[in-house]
């Protein structure tokens, strides 16, 4: 069951609300990442895809562009650039410490540092702290 799915957002027309269903067998960090990803879909206004139930089980159609957008924004929500700057550049916390502080994986920390250009910022900031 742990690999069956990560999370999905469902619309509840009875009360006009959305519900995120996530895989409870994942680690806490992965659960949070999954939930941020689903929140990103909602923030971005992504339309829920149609479901294909032609088999014995239901499959959601996969929109590559929307999934990449939600992945990016989900990581931004979980680990904002300002937080990385504060804790990695000026606070001298390690990637592992940041991952623990923000309940995420070291892979997400490394990804966010790279995508935000934080490593070069840290090197330049170190010059001025001497």
């Amino acid at each position: 069951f742990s690999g069956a799915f990560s999370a999905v957002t469902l619309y509840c027309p009875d009360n006009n609300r959305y519900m995120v269903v996530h895989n409870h067998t994942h680690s806490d960090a992965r659960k949070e990442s999954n939930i941020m990803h689903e929140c990103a879909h909602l923030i971005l206004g992504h339309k829920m895809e149609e479901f294909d139930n032609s088999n014995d089980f239901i499959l959601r159609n996969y929109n590559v562009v929307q999934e990449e957008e939600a992945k990016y924004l989900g990581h931004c929500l979980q680990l904002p650039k300002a937080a990385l700057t504060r804790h990695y550049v000026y606070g001298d916390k390690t990637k592992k410490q940041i991952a623990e502080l923000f309940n995420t994986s070291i892979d997400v920390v490394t990804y966010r540092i790279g995508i935000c250009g934080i490593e070069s910022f840290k090197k330049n900031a170190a010059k001025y702290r001497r």
Side-chain angles (χ1 to χ4, degrees):
F1 183 74
S2 67
F5 81 106
S6 295
V8 64
T9 300
L10 303 172
Y11 176 67
C12 306
D14 293 344
N15 61 7
N16 195 31
R17 293 186 184 199
Y18 292 91
M19 174 175 51
V20 175
V21 178
H22 63 88
N23 191 329
H24 70 278
T25 65
H26 286 173
S27 70
D28 287 343
R30 179 61 190 269
K31 283 188 263 190
E32 184 170 321
S33 179
N34 294 340
I35 292 167
M36 292 298 110
H37 179 93
E38 295 304 315
C39 288
H41 279 300
L42 294 172
I43 291 167
L44 292 166
H46 290 163
K47 300 295 177 213
M48 296 177 76
E49 298 292 326
E50 295 295 319
F51 287 89
D52 173 8
N53 61 352
S54 59
N55 297 313
D56 290 337
F57 51 91
I58 298 173
L59 293 175
R60 182 176 60 108
N61 292 326
Y62 188 84
N63 183 313
V64 176
V65 173
Q66 287 187 3
E67 289 303 317
E68 285 301 312
E69 289 173 348
K71 175 183 173 185
Y72 176 80
L73 181 56
H75 291 323
C76 293
L77 294 171
Q78 190 173 15
L79 185 56
K81 182 178 181 180
L84 277 173
T85 302
R86 178 178 180 197
H87 295 290
Y88 188 69
V89 175
Y90 297 112
D92 290 326
K93 290 200 181 301
T94 66
K95 291 178 184 179
K96 183 175 187 247
Q97 290 170 326
I98 292 169
E100 290 170 359
L101 183 64
F102 288 90
N103 196 27
T104 192
S105 68
I106 294 173
D107 287 343
V108 169
V109 175
T110 302
Y111 168 78
R112 292 289 295 143
I113 287 170
I115 204 83
C116 293
I118 297 291
E119 201 66 63
S120 61
F121 188 65
K122 182 174 182 166
K123 288 176 187 173
N124 287 332
K127 293 177 192 176
Y128 298 106
R129 281 194 267 172
R130 293 181 208 182

